[in-house]
PDB file of all heavy atoms in Angstrom:
ATOM      1  N   MET A 161      14.396 -18.409   0.941  1.00 98.00           N
ATOM      2  CA  MET A 161      14.045 -17.186   1.700  1.00 98.00           C
ATOM      3  C   MET A 161      13.062 -17.502   2.812  1.00 98.00           C
ATOM      4  O   MET A 161      13.193 -17.027   3.941  1.00 98.00           O
ATOM      5  CB  MET A 161      13.401 -16.152   0.753  1.00 98.00           C
ATOM      6  CG  MET A 161      14.372 -15.290   0.014  1.00 98.00           C
ATOM      7  SD  MET A 161      13.499 -13.991  -0.903  1.00 98.00           S
ATOM      8  CE  MET A 161      12.988 -14.872  -2.365  1.00 98.00           C
ATOM      9  N   PHE A 162      12.075 -18.311   2.465  1.00 98.00           N
ATOM     10  CA  PHE A 162      11.030 -18.666   3.434  1.00 98.00           C
ATOM     11  C   PHE A 162      11.640 -19.399   4.635  1.00 98.00           C
ATOM     12  O   PHE A 162      11.351 -19.083   5.796  1.00 98.00           O
ATOM     13  CB  PHE A 162       9.977 -19.550   2.750  1.00 98.00           C
ATOM     14  CG  PHE A 162       8.859 -19.985   3.651  1.00 98.00           C
ATOM     15  CD1 PHE A 162       7.716 -19.204   3.783  1.00 98.00           C
ATOM     16  CD2 PHE A 162       8.945 -21.169   4.373  1.00 98.00           C
ATOM     17  CE1 PHE A 162       6.681 -19.599   4.623  1.00 98.00           C
ATOM     18  CE2 PHE A 162       7.919 -21.572   5.205  1.00 98.00           C
ATOM     19  CZ  PHE A 162       6.784 -20.791   5.336  1.00 98.00           C
ATOM     20  N   ALA A 163      12.491 -20.377   4.345  1.00 98.00           N
ATOM     21  CA  ALA A 163      13.064 -21.195   5.422  1.00 98.00           C
ATOM     22  C   ALA A 163      13.921 -20.355   6.359  1.00 98.00           C
ATOM     23  O   ALA A 163      13.870 -20.514   7.587  1.00 98.00           O
ATOM     24  CB  ALA A 163      13.891 -22.333   4.825  1.00 98.00           C
ATOM     25  N   ALA A 164      14.699 -19.453   5.791  1.00 98.00           N
ATOM     26  CA  ALA A 164      15.559 -18.615   6.629  1.00 98.00           C
ATOM     27  C   ALA A 164      14.718 -17.600   7.395  1.00 98.00           C
ATOM     28  O   ALA A 164      14.931 -17.378   8.594  1.00 98.00           O
ATOM     29  CB  ALA A 164      16.594 -17.905   5.773  1.00 98.00           C
ATOM     30  N   HIS A 165      13.749 -17.004   6.720  1.00 98.00           N
ATOM     31  CA  HIS A 165      12.904 -15.993   7.358  1.00 98.00           C
ATOM     32  C   HIS A 165      12.182 -16.579   8.578  1.00 98.00           C
ATOM     33  O   HIS A 165      12.051 -15.920   9.604  1.00 98.00           O
ATOM     34  CB  HIS A 165      11.889 -15.445   6.365  1.00 98.00           C
ATOM     35  CG  HIS A 165      10.986 -14.401   6.941  1.00 98.00           C
ATOM     36  ND1 HIS A 165      11.335 -13.069   6.995  1.00 98.00           N
ATOM     37  CD2 HIS A 165       9.757 -14.492   7.526  1.00 98.00           C
ATOM     38  CE1 HIS A 165      10.360 -12.389   7.574  1.00 98.00           C
ATOM     39  NE2 HIS A 165       9.392 -13.221   7.907  1.00 98.00           N
ATOM     40  N   HIS A 166      11.717 -17.818   8.439  1.00 98.00           N
ATOM     41  CA  HIS A 166      10.962 -18.441   9.532  1.00 98.00           C
ATOM     42  C   HIS A 166      11.859 -19.260  10.453  1.00 98.00           C
ATOM     43  O   HIS A 166      11.362 -20.049  11.262  1.00 98.00           O
ATOM     44  CB  HIS A 166       9.798 -19.260   8.968  1.00 98.00           C
ATOM     45  CG  HIS A 166       8.739 -18.400   8.342  1.00 98.00           C
ATOM     46  ND1 HIS A 166       7.844 -17.676   9.083  1.00 98.00           N
ATOM     47  CD2 HIS A 166       8.486 -18.087   7.049  1.00 98.00           C
ATOM     48  CE1 HIS A 166       7.058 -16.968   8.279  1.00 98.00           C
ATOM     49  NE2 HIS A 166       7.426 -17.202   7.038  1.00 98.00           N
ATOM     50  N   ARG A 167      13.148 -19.092  10.300  1.00 97.00           N
ATOM     51  CA  ARG A 167      14.142 -19.683  11.216  1.00 97.00           C
ATOM     52  C   ARG A 167      13.952 -21.186  11.379  1.00 97.00           C
ATOM     53  O   ARG A 167      13.868 -21.706  12.501  1.00 97.00           O
ATOM     54  CB  ARG A 167      14.046 -19.007  12.585  1.00 97.00           C
ATOM     55  CG  ARG A 167      14.221 -17.508  12.507  1.00 97.00           C
ATOM     56  CD  ARG A 167      14.016 -16.900  13.857  1.00 97.00           C
ATOM     57  NE  ARG A 167      14.129 -15.456  13.796  1.00 97.00           N
ATOM     58  CZ  ARG A 167      14.028 -14.661  14.855  1.00 97.00           C
ATOM     59  NH1 ARG A 167      13.832 -15.167  16.032  1.00 97.00           N
ATOM     60  NH2 ARG A 167      14.141 -13.372  14.729  1.00 97.00           N
ATOM     61  N   LEU A 168      13.851 -21.860  10.254  1.00 98.00           N
ATOM     62  CA  LEU A 168      13.568 -23.291  10.297  1.00 98.00           C
ATOM     63  C   LEU A 168      14.851 -24.084  10.594  1.00 98.00           C
ATOM     64  O   LEU A 168      15.445 -24.702   9.727  1.00 98.00           O
ATOM     65  CB  LEU A 168      12.901 -23.738   8.997  1.00 98.00           C
ATOM     66  CG  LEU A 168      11.594 -23.008   8.657  1.00 98.00           C
ATOM     67  CD1 LEU A 168      10.967 -23.552   7.381  1.00 98.00           C
ATOM     68  CD2 LEU A 168      10.590 -23.131   9.826  1.00 98.00           C
ATOM     69  N   GLY A 169      15.242 -24.037  11.848  1.00 97.00           N
ATOM     70  CA  GLY A 169      16.434 -24.764  12.285  1.00 97.00           C
ATOM     71  C   GLY A 169      16.249 -26.274  12.235  1.00 97.00           C
ATOM     72  O   GLY A 169      17.212 -27.029  12.400  1.00 97.00           O
ATOM     73  N   ASN A 170      15.042 -26.725  11.984  1.00 97.00           N
ATOM     74  CA  ASN A 170      14.769 -28.164  11.865  1.00 97.00           C
ATOM     75  C   ASN A 170      14.842 -28.652  10.412  1.00 97.00           C
ATOM     76  O   ASN A 170      14.458 -29.772  10.117  1.00 97.00           O
ATOM     77  CB  ASN A 170      13.380 -28.492  12.444  1.00 97.00           C
ATOM     78  CG  ASN A 170      12.254 -27.671  11.809  1.00 97.00           C
ATOM     79  OD1 ASN A 170      12.506 -26.691  11.132  1.00 97.00           O
ATOM     80  ND2 ASN A 170      11.010 -28.086  12.035  1.00 97.00           N
ATOM     81  N   LEU A 171      15.335 -27.778   9.541  1.00 98.00           N
ATOM     82  CA  LEU A 171      15.389 -28.117   8.114  1.00 98.00           C
ATOM     83  C   LEU A 171      16.838 -28.185   7.635  1.00 98.00           C
ATOM     84  O   LEU A 171      17.623 -27.257   7.875  1.00 98.00           O
ATOM     85  CB  LEU A 171      14.642 -27.056   7.293  1.00 98.00           C
ATOM     86  CG  LEU A 171      14.712 -27.194   5.770  1.00 98.00           C
ATOM     87  CD1 LEU A 171      13.958 -28.431   5.280  1.00 98.00           C
ATOM     88  CD2 LEU A 171      14.145 -25.934   5.082  1.00 98.00           C
ATOM     89  N   THR A 172      17.186 -29.281   6.983  1.00 98.00           N
ATOM     90  CA  THR A 172      18.504 -29.417   6.364  1.00 98.00           C
ATOM     91  C   THR A 172      18.345 -29.622   4.873  1.00 98.00           C
ATOM     92  O   THR A 172      17.606 -30.499   4.435  1.00 98.00           O
ATOM     93  CB  THR A 172      19.274 -30.623   6.953  1.00 98.00           C
ATOM     94  OG1 THR A 172      19.529 -30.372   8.339  1.00 98.00           O
ATOM     95  CG2 THR A 172      20.597 -30.830   6.228  1.00 98.00           C
ATOM     96  N   VAL A 173      19.042 -28.787   4.111  1.00 98.00           N
ATOM     97  CA  VAL A 173      19.096 -28.963   2.670  1.00 98.00           C
ATOM     98  C   VAL A 173      20.426 -29.634   2.325  1.00 98.00           C
ATOM     99  O   VAL A 173      21.470 -29.236   2.845  1.00 98.00           O
ATOM    100  CB  VAL A 173      19.021 -27.591   1.952  1.00 98.00           C
ATOM    101  CG1 VAL A 173      19.363 -27.728   0.471  1.00 98.00           C
ATOM    102  CG2 VAL A 173      17.647 -26.982   2.117  1.00 98.00           C
ATOM    103  N   VAL A 174      20.369 -30.668   1.518  1.00 98.00           N
ATOM    104  CA  VAL A 174      21.600 -31.256   0.992  1.00 98.00           C
ATOM    105  C   VAL A 174      21.561 -31.084  -0.519  1.00 98.00           C
ATOM    106  O   VAL A 174      20.597 -31.513  -1.170  1.00 98.00           O
ATOM    107  CB  VAL A 174      21.719 -32.756   1.348  1.00 98.00           C
ATOM    108  CG1 VAL A 174      23.030 -33.319   0.802  1.00 98.00           C
ATOM    109  CG2 VAL A 174      21.628 -32.964   2.848  1.00 98.00           C
ATOM    110  N   VAL A 175      22.561 -30.414  -1.060  1.00 98.00           N
ATOM    111  CA  VAL A 175      22.624 -30.257  -2.513  1.00 98.00           C
ATOM    112  C   VAL A 175      23.607 -31.274  -3.064  1.00 98.00           C
ATOM    113  O   VAL A 175      24.794 -31.255  -2.716  1.00 98.00           O
ATOM    114  CB  VAL A 175      23.062 -28.824  -2.916  1.00 98.00           C
ATOM    115  CG1 VAL A 175      23.043 -28.700  -4.439  1.00 98.00           C
ATOM    116  CG2 VAL A 175      22.166 -27.781  -2.284  1.00 98.00           C
ATOM    117  N   ASP A 176      23.094 -32.160  -3.893  1.00 98.00           N
ATOM    118  CA  ASP A 176      23.939 -33.151  -4.566  1.00 98.00           C
ATOM    119  C   ASP A 176      24.538 -32.444  -5.780  1.00 98.00           C
ATOM    120  O   ASP A 176      23.969 -32.478  -6.874  1.00 98.00           O
ATOM    121  CB  ASP A 176      23.064 -34.352  -4.970  1.00 98.00           C
ATOM    122  CG  ASP A 176      23.824 -35.352  -5.832  1.00 98.00           C
ATOM    123  OD1 ASP A 176      25.068 -35.291  -5.871  1.00 98.00           O
ATOM    124  OD2 ASP A 176      23.164 -36.195  -6.471  1.00 98.00           O
ATOM    125  N   ALA A 177      25.665 -31.796  -5.558  1.00 97.00           N
ATOM    126  CA  ALA A 177      26.251 -30.940  -6.595  1.00 97.00           C
ATOM    127  C   ALA A 177      27.235 -31.762  -7.423  1.00 97.00           C
ATOM    128  O   ALA A 177      28.433 -31.774  -7.170  1.00 97.00           O
ATOM    129  CB  ALA A 177      26.931 -29.742  -5.956  1.00 97.00           C
ATOM    130  N   ASN A 178      26.703 -32.462  -8.424  1.00 95.00           N
ATOM    131  CA  ASN A 178      27.590 -33.294  -9.248  1.00 95.00           C
ATOM    132  C   ASN A 178      28.076 -32.568 -10.494  1.00 95.00           C
ATOM    133  O   ASN A 178      28.820 -33.121 -11.299  1.00 95.00           O
ATOM    134  CB  ASN A 178      26.926 -34.640  -9.591  1.00 95.00           C
ATOM    135  CG  ASN A 178      25.635 -34.481 -10.388  1.00 95.00           C
ATOM    136  OD1 ASN A 178      25.507 -33.576 -11.198  1.00 95.00           O
ATOM    137  ND2 ASN A 178      24.681 -35.395 -10.151  1.00 95.00           N
ATOM    138  N   GLY A 179      27.617 -31.337 -10.681  1.00 94.00           N
ATOM    139  CA  GLY A 179      28.193 -30.498 -11.726  1.00 94.00           C
ATOM    140  C   GLY A 179      27.679 -30.751 -13.123  1.00 94.00           C
ATOM    141  O   GLY A 179      28.110 -30.089 -14.069  1.00 94.00           O
ATOM    142  N   LEU A 180      26.772 -31.717 -13.256  1.00 91.00           N
ATOM    143  CA  LEU A 180      26.199 -31.994 -14.577  1.00 91.00           C
ATOM    144  C   LEU A 180      24.687 -31.902 -14.487  1.00 91.00           C
ATOM    145  O   LEU A 180      24.095 -32.393 -13.535  1.00 91.00           O
ATOM    146  CB  LEU A 180      26.580 -33.403 -15.044  1.00 91.00           C
ATOM    147  CG  LEU A 180      27.997 -33.621 -15.550  1.00 91.00           C
ATOM    148  CD1 LEU A 180      28.254 -35.117 -15.742  1.00 91.00           C
ATOM    149  CD2 LEU A 180      28.234 -32.881 -16.862  1.00 91.00           C
ATOM    150  N   GLN A 181      24.059 -31.276 -15.459  1.00 88.00           N
ATOM    151  CA  GLN A 181      22.597 -31.255 -15.495  1.00 88.00           C
ATOM    152  C   GLN A 181      22.115 -31.796 -16.821  1.00 88.00           C
ATOM    153  O   GLN A 181      22.859 -32.480 -17.515  1.00 88.00           O
ATOM    154  CB  GLN A 181      22.069 -29.863 -15.151  1.00 88.00           C
ATOM    155  CG  GLN A 181      22.572 -28.734 -16.012  1.00 88.00           C
ATOM    156  CD  GLN A 181      22.100 -27.393 -15.464  1.00 88.00           C
ATOM    157  OE1 GLN A 181      22.809 -26.731 -14.700  1.00 88.00           O
ATOM    158  NE2 GLN A 181      20.904 -26.973 -15.860  1.00 88.00           N
ATOM    159  N   GLY A 182      20.882 -31.519 -17.188  1.00 85.00           N
ATOM    160  CA  GLY A 182      20.244 -32.210 -18.304  1.00 85.00           C
ATOM    161  C   GLY A 182      21.003 -32.223 -19.612  1.00 85.00           C
ATOM    162  O   GLY A 182      21.027 -33.233 -20.313  1.00 85.00           O
TER     163      GLY A 182
END
Side-chain angles (χ1 to χ4, degrees):
Chain A
M161 275 187 279
F162 179 90
H165 180 85
H166 291 284
R167 304 176 182 182
L168 302 182
N170 55 346
L171 174 68
T172 295
V173 168
V174 181
V175 183
D176 173 16
N178 61 34
L180 284 171
Q181 56 187 94

